[in-house]
């Protein structure tokens, strides 16, 4: 029963994340770099700080926690910086592939590589932790199944690209470009996998028994998102200067509406990792479900992003065969979430 509750909480977070790009579409008259920076303030700073504070018992502080483990804290934030590169290219993948296909390929790559890279790199820096022992047969099978589901959805994307006319492609996704989008999505997925690597390096950044198990990973999550914010902020400010779009921030009439939608997008995005922390507390520490939790989150993100893709008519005009392949891929992803429990 605990496993089902944990999966349900993670699924709610995944649904929120997959919905986070809906309010962004409501932002008016701001360039990409302007609204991406402002939503990032909420998604990667404000809400993660509020979340991390839940893990701090009375009489203690976050800086005290990080100062007690400087090496782990630095490496956690460093991988956050690398994840930030994935976040930048992640947005481009959806520009060229759409919400459904862009998130499917990028998050699928992120899910598989993030799950494997975490224990491998942790073992290199801290061999005494024996992190590789967490990569059990059940975990590997779960990752492979997730990647199979992503591959099937990728095939559906290729079928979509081949079957639609240029006009139909542009109607569904304005700048649709499958080869270019595929390359960017794979890069985004590889770099985004560093988020889970950061969580692995920071998994001991808590106050032990004084911290509620539901909030135990949130201090590490904050360090990762701060690292990602630094990468994104530098790029966005550079683009503001290059494109002379600082004027976006001068129109006071737009601030109330645009800030609201940026904040909503940020809250929805952060919900996935808040839900991940809460959901993992229902899994046995060190179990296959616990190790695969990040992979499961990404798989569910892909599932819900494709639901949004269908709602937003990004698959409009595709053949029934293409839709069947797409649904098959979604079904495999859903099944991958339950595999570790079934293989116990």
């Amino acid at each position: 029963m605990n496993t089902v509750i944990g999966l349900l909480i993670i699924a709610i977070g995944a649904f929120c994340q997959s919905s986070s790009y809906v309010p962004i579409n409501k932002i008016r008259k701001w360039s990409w770099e302007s609204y991406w920076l402002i939503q990032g303030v909420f998604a990667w700073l404000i809400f993660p700080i509020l979340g991390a504070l839940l893990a701090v018992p009375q009489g203690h502080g976050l800086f005290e926690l990080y100062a007690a483990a400087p090496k782990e804290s630095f490496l956690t934030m460093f991988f956050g910086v690398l994840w930030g590169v994935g976040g930048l290219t992640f947005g481009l993948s959806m520009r060229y592939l759409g919400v459904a296909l862009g998130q499917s390929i990028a998050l699928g790559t992120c899910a598989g590589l993030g799950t494997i890279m975490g224990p491998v790199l942790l073992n290199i820096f801290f061999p005494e932790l024996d992190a590789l022992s967490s990569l059990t047969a059940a975990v590997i099978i779960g990752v492979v199944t997730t990647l199979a589901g992503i591959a099937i959805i990728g095939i559906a994307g290729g079928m979509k690209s081949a079957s639609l006319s240029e006009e139909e492609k542009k109607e569904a996704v304005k700048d649709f470009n499958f080869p270019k989008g595929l390359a960017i999505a794979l890069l985004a997925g590889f770099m985004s996998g560093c988020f889970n690597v950061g969580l692995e390096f920071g998994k001991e950044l808590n106050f032990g028994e004084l911290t509620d198990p539901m909030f135990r990973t949130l201090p590490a999550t904050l360090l990762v998102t701060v690292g990602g914010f630094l990468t994104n902020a530098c790029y966005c400010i550079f683009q503001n200067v290059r494109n002379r779009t600082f004027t976006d921030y001068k129109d006071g009439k737009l601030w109330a509406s645009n800030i609201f939608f940026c904040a909503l997008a940020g809250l929805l995005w952060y919900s996935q990792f808040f839900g991940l922390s809460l959901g993992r507390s229902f899994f046995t520490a060190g179990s296959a479900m616990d190790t695969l939790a990040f992979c499961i989150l990404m798989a569910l993100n892909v599932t819900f992003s494709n639901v949004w893709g269908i709602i937003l008519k990004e698959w409009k005009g595709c053949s029934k065969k293409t839709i069947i392949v797409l649904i098959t891929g979604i079904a495999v992803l859903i099944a991958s979430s339950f595999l570790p429990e079934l293989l116990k």
Side-chain angles (χ1 to χ4, degrees):
M1 187 61 182
N2 281 348
T3 299
V4 174
I5 295 174
L7 285 173
L8 180 60
I9 293 173
I10 292 175
I12 292 173
F15 177 77
C16 289
Q17 187 280 335
S18 300
S19 306
S20 65
Y21 293 92
V22 176
I24 282 180
N25 291 330
K26 300 290 185 179
I27 297 172
R28 297 184 297 123
K29 298 182 180 180
W30 276 7
S31 61
W32 176 88
E33 56 267 23
S34 298
Y35 73 68
W36 193 252
L37 176 61
I38 300 303
Q39 72 83 31
V41 170
F42 290 99
W44 307 321
L45 291 182
I46 294 177
F47 292 120
I49 289 174
L50 294 176
L53 289 175
L54 294 174
V56 181
Q58 189 174 4
H60 296 274
L62 276 174
F63 289 110
E64 169 195 344
L65 177 63
Y66 299 142
K71 183 178 179 180
E72 290 85 348
S73 298
F74 171 77
L75 289 171
T76 300
M77 185 178 288
F78 171 73
F79 283 107
V81 171
L82 297 182
W83 162 74
V85 177
L88 288 171
T89 49
F90 187 78
L92 284 176
S93 70
M94 287 184 291
R95 174 182 176 182
Y96 294 117
L97 297 176
V99 172
L101 190 55
Q103 288 206 52
S104 296
I105 297 174
L107 291 179
T109 308
C110 172
L113 292 179
T115 301
I116 300 298
M117 286 194 304
V120 170
L121 292 177
L122 189 62
N123 190 73
I124 293 174
F125 285 89
F126 302 100
E128 68 277 8
L129 298 178
D130 191 27
L132 289 179
S133 62
S134 65
L135 297 179
T136 62
V139 170
I140 299 299
I141 292 173
V143 169
V144 171
T145 304
T146 298
L147 294 179
I150 300 303
I152 294 171
I153 291 176
I155 291 172
M159 294 169 66
K160 170 187 176 180
S161 177
S163 64
L164 298 181
S165 65
E166 288 301 317
E167 292 73 18
E168 289 173 322
K169 293 176 186 176
K170 300 300 181 183
E171 182 182 354
V173 181
K174 183 180 178 181
D175 298 316
F176 187 83
N177 186 320
F178 186 70
K180 186 174 184 179
L182 177 62
I184 293 174
L186 290 174
L187 174 63
F190 175 76
M191 299 304 290
S192 295
C194 290
F195 197 109
N196 193 49
V197 177
L199 292 183
E200 283 292 311
F201 275 87
K203 62 183 179 181
E204 299 300 326
L205 293 174
N206 56 70
F207 289 93
E209 294 182 357
L210 296 178
T211 298
D212 190 313
M214 290 195 296
F215 309 132
R216 200 159 282 170
T217 65
L218 295 180
T221 301
L222 171 60
L223 286 181
V224 177
T225 57
V226 167
F229 177 78
L230 293 175
T231 306
N232 281 263
C234 289
Y235 181 78
C236 289
I237 293 172
F238 168 76
Q239 289 297 319
N240 277 144
V241 173
R242 180 183 182 185
N243 300 327
R244 299 180 181 180
T245 51
F246 276 114
T247 54
D248 290 345
Y249 308 115
K250 292 183 178 180
D251 192 343
K253 296 179 181 179
L254 296 175
W255 267 95
S257 174
N258 285 358
I259 287 292
F260 171 78
F261 287 117
C262 283
L264 180 57
L267 176 61
L268 290 171
W269 183 91
Y270 176 66
S271 295
Q272 65 179 315
F273 292 109
F274 189 79
L276 178 65
S277 183
L278 268 61
R280 289 181 70 172
S281 68
F282 288 90
F283 303 151
T284 302
S287 66
M289 288 297 294
D290 186 40
T291 303
L292 266 177
F294 180 81
C295 188
I296 291 171
L297 172 64
M298 295 300 111
L300 292 173
N301 281 344
V302 171
T303 300
F304 289 121
S305 69
N306 277 283
V307 171
W308 274 115
I310 293 171
I311 293 173
L312 297 174
K313 300 180 179 180
E314 292 180 357
W315 295 91
K316 181 181 178 181
C318 294
S319 66
K320 289 183 178 179
K321 185 177 180 180
T322 300
I323 298 301
I324 290 173
V325 173
L326 171 66
I327 293 174
T328 300
I330 292 175
V332 171
L333 286 179
I334 294 174
S336 71
S337 301
F338 296 92
L339 264 183
E341 191 68 13
L342 296 174
L343 293 173
K344 284 191 348 180

